[in-house]
Amino acid sequence: MKILITESKFKNMVNKFIGYDLSDHIEIITSWYELDSGGQRLFADGKEEFNWLLNHYGPMFLFNVNGDNYYVQPQGKEYGTLVLSDKKNRKIEEYDFLKILGIDVLGIKLDKIIDEFVE
């Protein structure tokens, strides 16, 4: 038996599970100048490294979760998803970020969350 979940039902399910509207907590980052100082600090080589990532993998997504900033960038099947924690000042694993969001038990990939919630 197949269960069909529409986009609106998917969003409602995730939002009910975490207790807030996730789409209000995600921003698209397409420029070095859109990063705050905490975000800029994450890139050791500065603007050049950040721009290289944007040029090779596309935009980053800023997730604000409980007042902490996480920069997320899907990098394809070969490299997975880059997740940088402003608070921890380092890279974290995708699964650990899904745990922070509180949706790790749903088995949903971060790429799917970005596709559905970013407008």
Side-chain angles (χ1 to χ4, degrees):
M1 175 200 235
K2 281 189 172 182
I3 299 175
L4 182 64
I5 299 177
T6 64
E7 181 179 337
S8 63
K9 286 183 182 178
F10 176 80
K11 284 182 171 182
N12 287 337
M13 177 189 72
V14 171
N15 288 337
K16 282 183 182 179
F17 195 81
I18 61 176
Y20 58 89
D21 186 358
L22 188 57
S23 58
D24 293 339
H25 296 267
I26 305 173
E27 296 177 34
I28 298 175
I29 303 291
T30 59
S31 165
W32 172 259
Y33 302 104
E34 294 175 341
L35 294 173
D36 62 10
S37 61
Q40 290 179 354
R41 195 176 55 242
L42 292 169
F43 299 95
D45 294 333
K47 185 178 177 183
E48 293 78 26
E49 179 184 9
F50 179 79
N51 286 335
W52 186 90
L53 288 168
L54 288 182
N55 289 334
H56 283 81
Y57 302 111
M60 287 199 173
F61 301 92
L62 170 62
F63 284 71
N64 185 288
V65 182
N66 299 324
D68 298 327
N69 289 333
Y70 298 89
Y71 298 88
V72 177
Q73 184 182 47
Q75 296 184 338
K77 290 183 180 181
E78 185 176 346
Y79 297 108
T81 302
L82 174 68
V83 181
L84 299 170
S85 168
D86 189 356
K87 181 178 180 181
K88 296 180 181 182
N89 203 26
R90 64 179 173 86
K91 179 181 177 182
I92 62 173
E93 295 298 321
E94 179 179 353
Y95 180 76
D96 292 332
F97 181 62
L98 291 172
K99 283 171 56 175
I100 291 167
L101 287 174
I103 57 174
D104 56 314
V105 297
L106 296 177
I108 300 169
K109 302 263 313 159
L110 198 46
D111 292 0
K112 178 72 173 170
I113 295 294
I114 290 169
D115 288 344
E116 298 296 332
F117 282 90
V118 175
E119 299 174 3

